[in-house]
Amino acid sequence: MSIQQALEWKNRIEDLYAYFDDNEVLWHSMHVQRLTMTLYTALPEVYRCKVDPVNLEIAALMHDIGKLEIPRAILYKPAKLDEAEWEIIRTHPELGARALDTIGVPSEIAKWVLYHHERIDGIGYYHLQGKDIPTASRMIAITDTYSAITMKRAYEGERTHQDAISIIREVSGTQLDEDIADVFVRIPKNSLDRCRPTTIVND
């Protein structure tokens, strides 16, 4: 995908999020996009050579697009979800991948979106394990985790940068890729702070 095509897709996806009037999902998606590209630049060449950065940026922005099909009563429930509701939430990667296939983005982007909730220990949504999980999906899993922990939500306060770094360290090697997470936690806080979107307000 060319840079021009990527910019066109980025604009189309941001317009789609805006159409559904979901500022929280858009803010989070933009945050993950920026965090992911910051992580990409910090990674050694052995990782960067495996991932097309243009496709990576689009996948990071689109990673949660399937949530637009999840009922808001479940997505923003201000209480613990029951198992039936969790089953619905767990469909969002597949819903997102299907949507991306429908609009014709490169197939690897849809695959990265589909597997962004896989765990290194193999007990994620689709039970891929370790290096069987695409490198880009392993990267997005880390930045998604950081954003989810630190973002302000309507029903709970945001947690700190240090909270997120501590949690990422704790789950490295089981939930998250240990080597990629080790690079992420060493990125200076001010570099991660600059990834926070300012154009979308998630009140």
Side-chain angles (χ1 to χ4, degrees):
M1 180 184 291
S2 70
I3 293 176
Q4 182 59 40
Q5 286 175 314
L7 290 172
E8 291 173 359
W9 279 117
K10 178 177 180 291
N11 290 336
R12 288 176 65 181
I13 295 303
E14 289 180 358
D15 287 346
L16 181 60
Y17 279 127
Y19 174 78
F20 280 93
D21 191 28
D22 200 319
N23 279 355
E24 187 167 300
V25 174
L26 176 55
W27 190 95
H28 170 66
S29 297
M30 293 174 67
H31 193 206
V32 170
Q33 176 194 22
R34 296 174 184 184
L35 289 168
T36 300
M37 299 318 294
T38 297
L39 171 59
Y40 174 83
T41 61
L43 284 169
E45 175 64 21
V46 66
Y47 288 100
R48 287 187 284 114
C49 71
K50 297 176 181 178
V51 178
D52 181 323
V54 176
N55 286 355
L56 176 64
E57 186 166 12
I58 297 300
L61 178 62
M62 294 178 172
H63 80 283
D64 265 353
I65 197 166
K67 285 185 176 178
L68 297 179
E69 296 190 47
I70 303 295
R72 285 192 173 199
I74 295 175
L75 197 59
Y76 297 122
K77 183 179 178 179
K80 186 176 180 179
L81 299 177
D82 61 34
E83 185 54 35
E85 291 166 332
W86 268 118
E87 284 300 315
I88 293 172
I89 288 288
R90 292 187 189 107
T91 65
H92 82 268
E94 182 177 0
L95 293 171
R98 286 181 183 175
L100 296 177
D101 282 337
T102 298
I103 61 177
V105 300
S107 60
E108 71 175 0
I109 293 177
K111 182 173 73 173
W112 296 345
V113 167
L114 179 64
Y115 294 134
H116 79 273
H117 275 296
E118 293 309 279
R119 293 173 52 110
I120 295 300
D121 58 14
I123 59 172
Y125 288 11
Y126 300 103
H127 306 294
L128 296 186
Q129 186 174 6
K131 297 300 188 290
D132 290 336
I133 305 167
T135 301
S137 299
R138 285 182 272 139
M139 293 169 61
I140 294 170
I142 293 166
T143 56
D144 183 31
T145 298
Y146 181 88
S147 179
I149 293 169
T150 59
M151 73 182 292
K152 181 179 179 181
R153 300 176 187 271
Y155 53 86
E156 65 180 0
E158 59 189 319
R159 285 179 283 180
T160 68
H161 164 80
Q162 194 54 52
D163 290 336
I165 295 301
S166 296
I167 291 170
I168 288 171
R169 284 192 170 121
E170 181 180 339
V171 301
S172 293
T174 53
Q175 177 181 336
L176 303 174
D177 183 292
E178 187 172 11
D179 294 333
I180 299 176
D182 185 61
V183 173
F184 182 82
V185 300
R186 295 173 187 272
I187 297 173
K189 178 179 180 295
N190 63 340
S191 295
L192 299 181
D193 286 345
R194 287 195 293 270
C195 295
R196 295 177 68 88
T198 57
T199 56
I200 301 296
V201 178
N202 55 315
D203 294 324

